[in-house]
């Protein structure tokens, strides 16, 4: 689930709080992957999505890291 309200950064909300995830940006034009790295949601289960590398369409890949 995502949240995007005026004057706020996009966020992924209500994800499992005690789970680690990894995220990457994928450029659909070139196939390039840019690793965002390991992320962990805050105490509410939310994660603020960082800005894309440049202004055009990107795909956010968000995956659970299995332990």
């Amino acid at each position: 689930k995502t949240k995007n309200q005026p004057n706020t950064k996009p966020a992924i909300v209500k994800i499992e709080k005690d789970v680690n995830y990894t995220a990457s940006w994928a450029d659909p034009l070139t196939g390039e992957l840019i690793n965002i790295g390991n992320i962990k949601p805050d105490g509410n289960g939310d994660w603020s999505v960082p800005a894309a590398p440049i202004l055009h369409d990107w795909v956010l890949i968000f995956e659970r890291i299995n332990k």
Side-chain angles (χ1 to χ4, degrees), residues 12 14-24 35 37-41 47 60-67:
I12 297 176
K14 298 186 182 193
I15 55 178
E16 295 177 83
K17 296 182 268 190
D18 297 327
V19 174
N20 291 315
Y21 299 87
T22 186
S24 301
N35 184 32
N38 294 341
I39 62 105
K40 189 168 175 92
W47 176 64
L60 177 65
I61 300 171
F62 184 80
E63 299 177 291
R64 179 184 179 140
I65 298 174
N66 294 327
K67 290 191 172 192

Side-chain angles (χ1 to χ4, degrees), residues 44-56:
N44 296 319
D46 299 347
W47 176 64
S48 293
V49 178
I54 61 173
L55 186 60
H56 74 80

Side-chain angles (χ1 to χ4, degrees), residues 2-31:
T2 61
K3 169 177 67 175
N4 191 4
Q5 299 173 351
N7 302 318
T8 63
K9 288 178 62 173
I12 297 176
V13 299
K14 298 186 182 193
I15 55 178
E16 295 177 83
K17 296 182 268 190
D18 297 327
V19 174
N20 291 315
Y21 299 87
T22 186
S24 301
W25 286 113
D27 184 334
L29 297 175
T30 66

